[in-house]
Amino acid sequence: MSGAKKKPRNWAQLGAGLVVPVLLIGLWQLVSTMGWVNAHVLPSPLAVLQRWIAYLLPATSWAEASGAGTGWLAWVVSGELIIDALGSMQRVVLGFLIGAGLALPLGLAMGASQRVYAWLNPMAQVLRPIPPIAYIPLAILWFGLGNPPAIFLIAIGAFFPVLINTIAGVRQVDGIYIRAARNLGASQRTMFLRVMLPAAVPYILSGVRIGIGTAFIVVIVSEMIAVNNGLGFRILEAREYFWSDKIIAGMISIGMLGLAIDWGVSKLNNHLLRWHRGLEH
């Protein structure tokens, strides 16, 4: 399909996806305008938008920043929303890298070796159903407050999706591939690197996508408890001051950032799996 044909379809899909949000926002504005709900409980979309813009804008004026010798870029990113988003993203990236970095080799070993699987799978199945937020008391006890407990919780949230999907990917390699490799005299190392691992890549990338989504959820919860900045902390702060418009603005910011992360990971997965779908020439 040519690029000219893809663009109209993409725009049509985008337009269809905006119908429901636009209708909900219109209904929300109507309810607020008619005074059917308390504005302190459910502020209007316009009030939320104004708060979101104030949340995004730089904390100081350009004149004050220039007088203090602050660079243009530092002034642009000095807004509370950007600082909070960067803090949350830093924790997500560090926690995910730790969790996925531990899960990937362990999952490959458990998938490739029946003995390792028999040793470790019972423990993994016991720990897997425990939600990361259940570790919050231990995380605070072990690491105190600040970034370490938050990163620990995020790593746990990212660990099991990557682990389970990696195991499944390696163990569900088509037997025809394995028998063909054995008939060609492939060693166990070659079979693992050239047959099992490439065949498991789609499962691994699916686990990565789920793990990043879980990590982003966990970071919001952890910031409400153990950290003094970030999107989760800002929402909790707004609740204490009963700033409903800022709470909703923060929630929308989380949704937009999560959507951007998922879109980016999805595009990366599609690019890396072009060979698997027969799209490379």
Side-chain angles (χ1 to χ4, degrees), residues 36-83:
W36 294 343
V37 294
N38 190 326
H40 292 289
V41 176
L42 183 64
S44 69
L46 291 177
V48 173
L49 178 61
Q50 291 174 352
R51 173 66 80 164
W52 188 84
I53 293 174
Y55 189 21
L56 175 66
L57 290 177
T60 60
S61 66
W62 172 241
E64 294 174 345
S66 300
T70 304
W72 179 84
L73 181 59
W75 172 73
V76 170
V77 300
S78 65
E80 199 175 55
L81 173 58
I82 297 178
I83 293 175

Side-chain angles (χ1 to χ4, degrees), residues 142 158 200 214 225 246:
W142 292 343
T214 305
I225 298 170
K246 192 169 184 177

Side-chain angles (χ1 to χ4, degrees), residues 228-250:
N228 61 357
N229 59 48
L231 294 171
F233 169 80
R234 204 62 62 189
I235 289 176
L236 188 65
E237 179 189 57
R239 180 193 65 84
E240 293 177 353
Y241 290 98
F242 208 57
W243 294 335
S244 300
D245 50 357
K246 192 169 184 177
I247 293 175
I248 298 175

Side-chain angles (χ1 to χ4, degrees), residues 168-181 191 195-196 199-200 203:
V170 176
R171 290 175 67 88
Q172 294 183 18
V173 175
D174 196 327
I176 295 176
Y177 300 150
I178 297 177
R179 289 194 296 270
M191 187 179 303
V195 178
M196 292 183 175
Y203 290 86

